[in-house]
Amino acid sequence: MTGITALLEQQATRPRLSHDEDVAERFQKKGPKEFSGVTDLLVAEGWIRSLEIIFAYMGLTDADKLKCAVYMMKDDAALCRIIREFMSLRQGDKTVVEYIKQFERGCHFVPLIAYSAQEKMRQFVDGLRADIKHDVRMMDVTTYEAAVSTIRGW
């Protein structure tokens, strides 16, 4: 019993970390990699997946995940370039399936599109080839998911 009491007293006298400091300290102990601003979406996606593994293990809230991820970003200019590339993403010669995969990967970098159903739908349809865009608009689909399920079989 004396050992437990001594441990509790020791804990009480130790300086307390704020929530953010505690999360940051625990996060750093997991050895996350910095994002150096590469422009290859596959490399960036690998970085995101490595962070997601840490986030899942730690059971972080979305707000804490965002703070930790932003902290690991070291080259804002390169990240902005990835975002610009995504915003100008077009289907071009890609198949519908290839375009959907590339669009989904890009959504990781542009939360305002990924989490706004209307903006996600608009951005996706705007990037389709003219003939497919016309057909999707004629079908009057209202969500990204509906558009994807409609054209996935084409």
Side-chain angles (χ1 to χ4, degrees):
M1 191 66 156
T2 4
I4 293 174
T5 305
L7 183 62
L8 290 174
E9 287 174 0
Q10 182 183 15
Q11 290 288 342
T13 59
R14 201 170 81 181
R16 304 294 262 160
L17 297 174
S18 72
H19 172 76
D20 287 346
E21 290 170 328
D22 178 52
V23 169
E25 185 178 290
R26 291 187 302 125
F27 179 69
Q28 285 296 326
K29 286 181 180 177
K30 304 298 178 225
K33 294 179 181 164
E34 291 182 349
F35 183 69
S36 61
V38 297
T39 56
D40 182 347
L41 286 177
L42 291 176
V43 172
E45 183 178 4
W47 175 75
I48 289 172
R49 288 179 193 251
S50 71
L51 290 185
E52 287 173 343
I53 291 168
I54 296 171
F55 295 158
Y57 178 77
M58 292 179 64
L60 297 179
T61 64
D62 287 344
D64 288 338
K65 290 176 187 177
L66 180 61
K67 287 176 188 174
C68 290
V70 168
Y71 178 74
M72 299 310 294
M73 293 179 189
K74 300 302 178 196
D75 189 346
D76 292 336
L79 183 61
C80 289
R81 183 173 173 198
I82 289 173
I83 291 170
R84 278 194 311 273
E85 286 175 12
F86 173 73
M87 297 297 284
S88 63
L89 178 65
R90 298 292 177 254
Q91 181 182 1
D93 293 334
K94 296 180 215 66
T95 68
V96 169
V97 173
E98 290 169 334
Y99 174 65
I100 291 169
K101 285 180 184 176
Q102 191 171 10
F103 186 84
E104 285 294 326
R105 274 187 298 212
C107 282
H108 289 290
F109 301 100
V110 190
L112 293 176
I113 288 177
Y115 297 114
S116 168
Q118 293 170 327
E119 185 60 23
K120 188 174 183 178
M121 173 67 177
R122 186 192 67 73
Q123 186 70 29
F124 175 73
V125 172
D126 284 352
L128 290 168
R129 280 196 310 265
D131 56 329
I132 297 174
K133 183 188 317 184
H134 176 265
D135 291 348
V136 169
R137 287 188 173 150
M138 293 301 293
M139 287 191 256
D140 199 30
V141 292
T142 57
T143 66
Y144 166 75
E145 291 77 14
V148 168
S149 68
T150 299
I151 66 173
R152 198 175 276 275
W154 292 357

